[in-house]
């Protein structure tokens, strides 16, 4: 199994947690969600990000700050992002199906979308990185011990630079779900990891894209660490038959919205 | 032209809901690191120093699967907008670097001291922290320890109690290197930052 708990010796809670059933884990998740919905009904603000303190994801217990984040106004360097370009990323790196001599196994698919900031401005010329399991749910990572086959024709790593309209596109293989050690019989819904930069370093983010209708959604403490259903839905790609290509690959659409830019934008850049 | 300015900052008026973050998970090691990712400058460059430390969890144990990124001005305080971070040529300073920690939670960048980016401002390096078990990214800063006058006037540091403020200030070692640890939880928990519009 993928060793989500890694070197267990120092994660005491995880070894106990391994005995938890899915039913008890799901009950924990539901209790947190219920109190969130009650709070919203009583006037609390809706949450848009995952909780970093979310005990059903056992590895989070010792790895989240317990003090409030300190509010800061971004200054100088934080209002800029590193620049990436064609020098950094080859065009072919966005096709994960051509990195070896043969065709990888599984469902060939494209995922296409746009990277936008909170005001809807396209984030152009920026780096997008992805990594994922193969169609059997296995990563090339040396710590992945899940006894599913490695595909010699699939590494599962891609990069691209966004276009002028913030667009990105990857050709890949639909990843499989995989087991992990959070609790007994724990399975992650199929996902692709995405790493993103904005125009401001404060917008830097890493997330996961999921597939519509996954039966594992309700059971997964990582996905459910986002307590708000509307926010969770934003991580699910949409099947798009216009992206699907004839006799070649299925197509998905997924747009990514970064947090708001804190730069002062000139008039002519706004309102695109 | 993009013109961030200290004097006329637009309040963040976010209109689209932001896509939620998720944990980096355990399997980024074969995907995100790349050759010389932590070498913002060559070790041979005059002024090159090692910025290093350890990432700890709430029990004080090192975290062996964290990823740190730094973003900084050059020694003159200039913010570089050059490409080439992913193809280190040993000459081009881009100001950005990435390091995954080793089996005992240690990271080490090769970089230079950042200059102040505004007159009298305290020089700092922007940092983002990712690790398995951490459900979203965390932002923080590494300040240089020397300019105590500028540190005392810094708006972020000034708003913090003394013991917490020290978590953001690196230690200068005898050979000029910088030491800075990350504590995700506990008595000496690192100060992590949130920004408007986030
Ligand atoms: Fe994963």
């Amino acid at each position: 199994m993928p060793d989500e708990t890694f070197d267990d010796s120092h994660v005491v809670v995880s070894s106990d947690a391994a005995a938890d059933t899915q039913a008890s884990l799901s009950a924990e998740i539901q209790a947190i969600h219920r109190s969130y919905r009650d709070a919203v009904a009583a006037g609390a603000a809706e949450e848009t990000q995952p909780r970093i303190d979310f005990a059903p994801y056992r590895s989070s217990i010792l790895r989240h700050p317990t003090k409030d984040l300190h509010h800061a106004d971004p200054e100088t360097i934080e209002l800029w992002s590193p620049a990436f370009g064609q020098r950094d990323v080859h065009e072919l790196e966005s096709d994960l199906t051509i990195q070896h001599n043969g065709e990888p196994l599984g469902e060939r698919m494209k995922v296409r979308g746009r990277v936008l900031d909170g005001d809807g401005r396209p984030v152009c010329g920026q780096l997008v990185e992805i990594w994922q399991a193969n169609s059997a749910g296995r990563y090339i990572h040396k710590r992945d011990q899940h006894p599913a086959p490695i595909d010699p024709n699939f590494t599962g790593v891609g990069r691209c630079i966004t276009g002028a309209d913030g667009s990105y596109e990857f050709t890949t293989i639909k990843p499989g779900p995989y087991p992990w050690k959070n609790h007994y019989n724990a399975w992650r819904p199929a996902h692709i990891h995405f790493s993103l930069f904005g125009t401001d370093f404060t917008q830097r983010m890493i997330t996961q894209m999921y597939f519509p209708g996954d039966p594992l959604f309700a059971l997964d403490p990582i996905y459910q660490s986002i307590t708000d259903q509307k926010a969770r839905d934003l991580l699910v790609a949409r099947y798009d038959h216009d992206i699907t290509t004839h006799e070649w690959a299925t197509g998905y659409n997924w747009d990514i919205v970064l947090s708001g830019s804190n730069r002062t934008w000139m008039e002519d850049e706004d309102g695109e | 032209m993009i013109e961030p300015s200290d004097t006329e900052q637009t309040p963040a008026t976010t209109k689209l809901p932001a896509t939620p973050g998720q944990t980096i998970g355990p399997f980024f090691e074969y995907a995100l690191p790349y050759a010389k990712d932590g070498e913002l400058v060559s070790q041979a460059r005059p002024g090159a120093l090692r910025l290093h430390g350890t990432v700890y969890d709430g029990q004080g144990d090192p975290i062996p699967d964290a990823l740190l990124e730094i973003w900084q001005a050059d020694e003159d305080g200039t913010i570089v907008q050059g490409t080439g971070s992913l193809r280190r040529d040993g000459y081009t300073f881009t100001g950005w670097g990435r390091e995954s920690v080793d089996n005992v939670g240690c990271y080490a960048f090769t970089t230079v001291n950042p200059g102040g980016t505004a007159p009298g401002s305290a020089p700092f390096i922007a940092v983002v922290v990712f690790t398995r078990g951490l459900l979203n990214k965390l932002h923080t800063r590494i300040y240089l320890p020397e300019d105590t006058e500028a540190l005392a006037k810094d708006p972020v540091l000034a708003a913090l109690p003394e013991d917490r403020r020290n978590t953001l200030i690196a230690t200068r070692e005898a050979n000029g290197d910088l030491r800075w640890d990350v504590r995700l939880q506990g008595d000496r928990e690192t100060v992590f930052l949130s920004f408007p519009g986030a």
Side-chain angles (χ1 to χ4, degrees):
Chain A
M1 299 228 308
D3 191 358
E4 240 286 334
T5 52
F6 187 58
D7 182 5
D8 263 349
S9 57
H10 66 282
V11 189
V12 178
V13 269
S14 290
S15 46
D16 293 333
D20 286 332
T21 62
Q22 180 68 57
S24 69
L25 207 282
S26 293
E28 281 182 50
I29 293 173
Q30 284 154 18
I32 295 169
H33 286 198
R34 208 175 303 119
S35 60
Y36 166 69
R37 285 193 304 270
D38 291 347
V40 170
E46 291 183 345
E47 296 179 10
T48 60
Q49 292 291 326
R51 293 201 178 169
I52 52 175
D53 178 6
F54 196 74
Y57 176 31
R58 301 302 188 216
S59 306
S60 75
I61 293 172
L62 291 172
R63 294 187 173 193
H64 72 272
T66 54
K67 297 180 170 66
D68 289 340
L69 301 184
H70 180 75
H71 176 81
D73 285 321
E75 289 175 73
T76 56
I77 190 79
E78 289 159 339
L79 295 166
W80 294 86
S81 259
F84 300 94
Q86 297 314 324
R87 184 180 174 192
D88 295 290
V89 179
H90 193 280
E91 222 171 280
L92 296 180
E93 289 184 69
S94 66
D95 189 341
L96 287 74
T97 67
I98 57 166
Q99 296 173 351
H100 300 274
N101 288 328
E103 291 276 348
L105 294 170
E107 177 185 332
R108 191 187 294 113
M109 59 162 275
K110 287 185 177 195
V111 54
R112 179 192 295 168
R114 297 171 78 204
V115 183
L116 305 168
D117 76 9
D119 296 307
R121 291 186 204 91
V123 175
C124 68
Q126 259 302 3
L127 177 65
V128 180
E129 297 164 282
I130 65 168
W131 71 102
Q132 62 167 94
N134 69 20
S135 58
R138 180 83 188 255
Y139 285 88
I140 293 294
H141 198 285
K142 59 184 184 298
R143 287 176 203 143
D144 186 351
Q145 301 299 313
H146 176 35
I150 284 173
D151 185 341
N153 292 315
F154 191 73
T155 304
V157 177
R159 290 173 182 154
C160 74
I161 302 287
T162 56
D165 57 352
S167 60
Y168 73 88
E169 181 178 294
F170 292 100
T171 302
T172 186
I173 296 293
K174 193 173 182 186
Y178 59 84
W180 60 311
K181 290 181 173 175
N182 189 67
H183 53 282
Y184 183 72
N185 203 14
W187 288 77
R188 295 292 335 276
H191 59 272
I192 300 177
H193 296 267
F194 270 74
S195 164
L196 303 144
F197 291 80
T199 54
D200 305 18
F201 198 59
T202 56
Q203 296 171 305
R204 177 83 182 93
M205 79 173 300
I206 285 179
T207 189
Q208 303 180 24
M209 186 207 89
Y210 299 90
F211 293 87
D214 197 312
L216 295 167
F217 280 157
L219 311 182
D220 178 40
I222 293 180
Y223 182 63
Q224 298 295 338
S225 68
I226 306 159
T227 53
D228 192 277
Q229 178 72 55
K230 291 192 298 295
R232 280 199 298 279
D233 290 345
L234 295 174
L235 292 184
V236 183
R238 183 175 59 86
Y239 174 76
D240 186 340
H241 203 65
D242 291 332
I243 298 174
T244 294
T245 41
H246 180 63
E247 296 182 356
W248 186 248
T250 55
Y252 290 86
N253 175 252
W254 188 53
D255 290 339
I256 300 145
V257 179
L258 307 177
S259 60
S261 167
N262 286 286
R263 282 184 179 185
T264 299
W265 291 79
M266 303 300 273
E267 290 280 319
D268 58 350
E269 285 186 315
D270 244 326
E272 268 192 46
Chain B
M1 274 295 294
I2 297 161
E3 287 292 336
S5 131
D6 287 335
T7 48
E8 40 162 352
Q9 221 169 79
T10 322
T13 49
T14 303
K15 290 152 196 156
L16 296 175
T19 305
Q22 290 271 265
T23 180
I24 193 171
F27 300 130
F28 59 86
E29 189 64 45
Y30 79 103
L32 295 181
Y34 58 93
K36 300 185 180 179
D37 53 1
E39 296 179 28
L40 285 77
V41 297
S42 151
Q43 290 177 14
R45 172 170 155 168
L49 59 89
R50 196 163 70 117
L51 164 63
H52 68 119
T54 306
V55 183
Y56 296 100
D57 72 10
Q59 286 185 329
D61 289 322
I63 292 180
D65 43 12
L67 184 88
L68 266 57
E69 289 178 357
I70 62 171
W71 169 229
Q72 64 167 93
D74 73 9
E75 287 166 295
D76 302 328
T78 305
I79 297 169
V80 178
Q81 287 289 278
T83 61
S85 294
L86 299 182
R87 308 272 184 231
R88 301 281 192 211
D89 61 12
Y91 298 94
T92 309
F93 176 79
T94 63
W96 180 78
R98 172 181 281 170
E99 266 291 278
S100 52
V101 298
D102 64 15
N103 288 336
V104 287
C106 297
Y107 74 89
F109 291 96
T110 308
T111 188
V112 292
N113 289 312
T117 46
S121 73
F124 70 86
I125 296 169
V127 187
V128 62
V129 179
F130 302 99
T131 167
R132 180 182 67 79
L134 179 63
L135 280 155
N136 212 348
K137 52 94 179 264
L138 289 172
H139 288 280
T140 184
R141 293 180 179 179
I142 306 171
Y143 286 87
L144 302 187
E146 281 81 14
D147 191 345
T148 48
E149 201 178 311
L151 291 172
K153 284 189 300 195
D154 182 87
V156 167
L157 294 179
L160 292 166
E162 181 74 17
D163 57 328
R164 299 224 67 213
R165 163 182 198 272
N166 290 335
T167 67
L168 300 184
I169 303 172
T171 302
R172 183 74 68 182
E173 299 182 316
N175 63 358
D177 287 349
L178 289 168
R179 164 107 201 171
W180 182 77
D181 295 331
V182 183
R183 289 183 175 78
L184 288 183
Q185 216 180 66
D187 288 346
R188 291 181 290 161
E189 182 177 305
T190 303
V191 172
F192 297 102
L193 305 175
S194 69
F195 299 104

